[in-house]
Amino acid sequence: MKFKSKTLAILLSLALVLGLVLAGCGGQPTASQPAGDSKAAGDKVKVAFVYVGPVGDAGWSYAHDQARKYLEKEVPNVETSIVESVPEGADAERVLTELATKGNKIIFATSFGYMDYVIKVAQKFPDVTFLHCSGYKTAPNVGTYFGRIYQARYLSGLAAGKQSKSNVIGYVAAMPIPEVIRGINAFTLGVKEANPSATVKVVWTNTWYDPAKEKDAAKSLLDAGADVIAQHQDTPAPMQAAEEKGKFGVGYNTDMSSFAPKAVLTGPVWNWGPYYVKTVKAVMDKSWKSEQYWGPMADKIVDLAPYGAMVSDDTKALIAKKKESLVKGEWDVFNGPIKDQSGQVKVQEGAKMTDKEMLEFNWFVQGVDGTIPK
């Protein structure tokens, strides 16, 4: 997503503050727009979205909500609703049950921690189609979806490695789950490709959305010598911390440059819209089947945000070459040889990790300074 004006940046900043205030107050469905007359509303297919944070987070939930709006534009005979700030716990089961009870025929649950609740509720509502983002459990009426964001993370690592002078790059990480570990590893492989002397220092926040905590984590990494900050978090707070220190950053989810224009190099971004349109249309025409979709960069579900002015032409050329290879399927990030932190070869020369292995990542590659909490 691209924030190209100061006005939009200010509006989203206000939304971010408001979202933090309201984060604990989520759980009530919100219609996306007035439904119009009752007959028209009754003819529409109801589609619901469940978000782990507020739509004003300028990150993960914002990206999904932009895609929801794209769905409404492209498929006019749908009526969408959202529930924001739903914790990854028992409350998720209540929200999912309420949405199914209220006639939603398609429900998108957009956070990993909703997985078991989706499966449980789906058993009670076999005529409702559930789509769970980033999970791995399916059922006849439950599919999963994600994008190979690790490919974009690798490319962003090239930018970070090229930019660093201290050879210390900080990474503010949310939860110690395979998705986040995989992203750290991909980013680090990119960093090491561009700058073999660099290391990636990881700090865990154990939260997806907490601007203050994310910013404090970034500050601790900057104090430890990092001159580039990367993140797997839902707000621009780590990027703002980097800019305040005169350092650089790699965002996530959406183009975060409006919040820290002097810091943001680029960042892995999501484009969920086409997937939502395709999936909803498939459910509507009864061609949908349960699957585990993990779309590559070639599908355009993941990409890089625009480059900041500080990114050199040489760096752009390096990234373009690697991106072309990824898109063509000539190469992928976790092709061997790959060593772990101890120096042991985990992926042999000429081999590549399987999807199953990548989805179960529980170790760090060589070059990561940090541990994975048990």
Side-chain angles (χ1 to χ4, degrees), residues 29-315:
T30 303
S32 62
Q33 59 184 22
D37 65 80
S38 59
K39 184 179 186 299
D43 291 338
K44 293 187 176 184
V45 175
K46 297 178 71 174
V47 183
F49 293 78
V50 183
Y51 302 145
V52 73
V55 294
D57 65 6
W60 176 258
S61 294
Y62 176 81
H64 282 285
D65 203 55
Q66 292 300 295
R68 176 189 64 80
K69 292 176 181 178
Y70 177 85
L71 168 66
E72 287 187 327
K73 180 181 177 182
E74 296 296 315
V75 188
N77 56 326
V78 300
E79 175 191 338
T80 71
S81 62
I82 65 172
V83 189
E84 306 173 73
S85 303
V86 178
E88 295 178 312
D91 200 42
E93 181 180 350
R94 176 188 65 80
V95 170
L96 290 164
T97 300
E98 286 184 0
L99 290 172
T101 301
K102 291 179 178 179
N104 288 285
K105 292 302 182 183
I106 307 169
I107 299 175
F108 291 95
T110 66
S111 197
F112 177 82
Y114 299 153
M115 179 167 60
D116 289 338
Y117 304 105
V118 169
I119 295 296
K120 185 176 181 180
V121 175
Q123 292 174 345
K124 302 174 185 177
F125 297 92
D127 294 331
V128 177
T129 301
F130 293 80
L131 285 305
H132 178 226
C133 186
S134 78
Y136 56 83
K137 294 183 179 180
T138 62
N141 62 327
V142 179
T144 64
Y145 66 104
F146 205 53
R148 294 181 187 267
I149 197 71
Y150 69 84
Q151 295 178 333
R153 284 201 183 277
Y154 173 90
L155 298 178
S156 70
L158 295 173
K162 281 288 192 181
Q163 196 72 28
S164 180
K165 299 295 186 288
S166 70
N167 294 331
V168 178
I169 295 170
Y171 200 110
V172 183
M175 304 287 189
I177 62 174
E179 172 196 337
V180 180
I181 296 166
R182 185 171 61 247
I184 293 168
N185 286 339
F187 178 80
T188 302
L189 291 173
V191 166
K192 298 292 283 183
E193 175 72 17
N195 183 351
S197 300
T199 58
V200 176
K201 187 174 181 65
V202 176
V203 170
W204 298 98
T205 63
N206 294 304
T207 179
W208 297 113
Y209 176 84
D210 187 331
K213 196 168 186 179
E214 294 169 39
K215 194 169 188 178
D216 286 344
K219 287 179 177 178
S220 73
L221 290 164
L222 292 161
D223 290 343
D227 60 355
V228 181
I229 296 294
Q231 66 176 76
H232 192 137
Q233 298 286 170
D234 290 357
T235 82
M239 300 298 95
Q240 293 169 325
E243 182 167 270
E244 288 169 8
K245 289 284 189 177
K247 306 302 181 183
F248 300 102
V250 172
Y252 177 48
N253 292 311
T254 65
D255 178 8
M256 293 182 167
S257 60
S258 291
F259 297 95
K262 296 179 181 178
V264 175
L265 304 171
T266 183
V269 295
W270 293 102
N271 179 28
W272 299 108
Y275 171 80
Y276 284 153
V277 169
K278 179 181 178 181
T279 301
V280 169
K281 285 183 175 179
V283 174
M284 292 169 68
D285 67 20
K286 303 187 185 304
S287 65
W288 181 86
K289 296 184 185 305
S290 175
E291 65 172 351
Q292 292 182 298
Y293 172 76
W294 198 12
M297 183 167 274
D299 284 4
K300 299 183 179 180
I301 193 170
V302 301
D303 207 344
L304 281 182
Y307 296 114
M310 70 291 289
V311 179
S312 71
D313 290 339
D314 285 347
T315 298

